Amino acid sequence: MQHESEPGKVLAVANLAEYFRDALQGALAHQHIAVEDQTEQYVVNMLTVFARAERLYEGVPAGSKMPPLFNLFANAVEARTAVERERALQRLGDISLFIAGFFAHGFARRLVDIDYHIAMGGRAYGTLAGALARGPRRVLSTVYGELAAKFQPLVDALGEISDAARTYTQADVLRLYEIWLRTGSARDRGLLSQLGVAATPVALHAH
């Protein structure tokens, strides 16, 4: 199946899961990131589900542009049962990964930036891995554990998928530099180098 398209054209995809699988495998290989087959399948399933906007914005307050992580975290803390807590943590991890990977450039001028999503998502997956480690779902625990341990590299892989047809403006380059400062992303450093920008660490000052 052909996935290539001209810039600005709508990409026609007959099988969304197949498209995301091919795109994710390509991004992981390009960035030398190794994950288990079950973890790769988990991410493909997540991308396929969230490609439907109603699933991504399920339960989001009216007027919100993105699912607020604080609300998702509160749902996990206030859950009445273990099952409800696991579902809330899973959604927190999934949404953090999806948004950090696909919408990093949209965080500019917001109070909550990409590093917050990375921290929250990794912690949610790690908590899930610990909760399921001794039960009948140990395989799923291993998946969550790998998602937690490789959260930043997976964000980079999803970012590569998102940026496949992106043309960088000067403002985008500045934002890319800020993201690299916040996350230390190897992918973003490589992009900066390709764009002719030397990635030199400086202190980020709070305003």
Side-chain angles (χ1 to χ4, degrees), residues 38-89:
Q38 298 95 324
T39 303
E40 178 186 299
Q41 185 59 50
Y42 182 97
V43 176
V44 169
N45 290 342
M46 180 200 71
L47 295 177
T48 305
V49 168
F50 285 162
R52 300 174 56 188
E54 66 271 18
R55 295 297 298 275
L56 177 61
Y57 291 95
E58 187 177 284
V60 175
S64 296
K65 294 183 178 180
M66 289 289 180
L69 297 194
F70 179 80
N71 289 9
L72 298 175
F73 178 73
N75 290 340
V77 171
E78 298 168 3
R80 292 171 294 181
T81 67
V83 171
E84 288 180 358
R85 183 169 182 267
E86 288 170 12
R87 287 176 180 169
L89 287 170

Side-chain angles (χ1 to χ4, degrees), residues 1-205:
M1 179 172 63
Q2 282 284 24
H3 303 316
E4 311 260 349
S5 66
E6 298 176 19
K9 299 290 185 180
V10 175
L11 184 64
V13 179
N15 186 314
L16 201 55
E18 181 182 336
Y19 167 74
F20 281 130
R21 182 177 297 106
D22 290 349
L24 180 61
Q25 288 176 347
L28 292 173
H30 180 246
Q31 297 184 46
H32 307 289
I33 302 167
V35 298
E36 296 295 331
D37 291 345
Q38 298 95 324
T39 303
E40 178 186 299
Q41 185 59 50
Y42 182 97
V43 176
V44 169
N45 290 342
M46 180 200 71
L47 295 177
T48 305
V49 168
F50 285 162
R52 300 174 56 188
E54 66 271 18
R55 295 297 298 275
L56 177 61
Y57 291 95
E58 187 177 284
V60 175
S64 296
K65 294 183 178 180
M66 289 289 180
L69 297 194
F70 179 80
N71 289 9
L72 298 175
F73 178 73
N75 290 340
V77 171
E78 298 168 3
R80 292 171 294 181
T81 67
V83 171
E84 288 180 358
R85 183 169 182 267
E86 288 170 12
R87 287 176 180 169
L89 287 170
Q90 179 186 8
R91 183 161 173 79
L92 174 57
D94 290 352
I95 286 181
S96 297
L97 179 58
F98 184 80
I99 292 179
F102 279 88
F103 298 103
H105 289 272
F107 287 123
R109 297 179 299 279
R110 296 190 183 194
L111 293 177
V112 175
D113 211 324
I114 183 173
D115 48 347
Y116 178 75
H117 284 70
I118 290 171
M120 290 288 282
R123 190 173 298 123
Y125 282 144
T127 302
L128 270 174
L132 302 178
R134 298 184 180 180
R137 291 180 289 169
R138 286 189 294 274
V139 172
L140 192 54
S141 170
T142 301
V143 170
Y144 287 131
E146 185 166 40
L147 289 169
K150 300 179 180 177
F151 200 93
Q152 174 65 69
L154 286 168
V155 166
D156 284 351
L158 298 192
E160 180 170 321
I161 297 171
S162 174
D163 285 354
R166 187 183 185 91
T167 300
Y168 284 90
T169 65
Q170 184 176 3
D172 290 331
V173 173
L174 291 173
R175 176 57 183 159
L176 185 63
Y177 187 82
E178 182 183 6
I179 292 173
W180 173 72
L181 287 175
R182 289 182 176 277
T183 66
S185 163
R187 171 182 170 273
D188 290 337
R189 181 174 187 142
L191 282 174
L192 287 168
S193 178
Q194 291 173 27
L195 294 166
V197 178
T200 304
V202 297
L204 280 176
H205 299 287

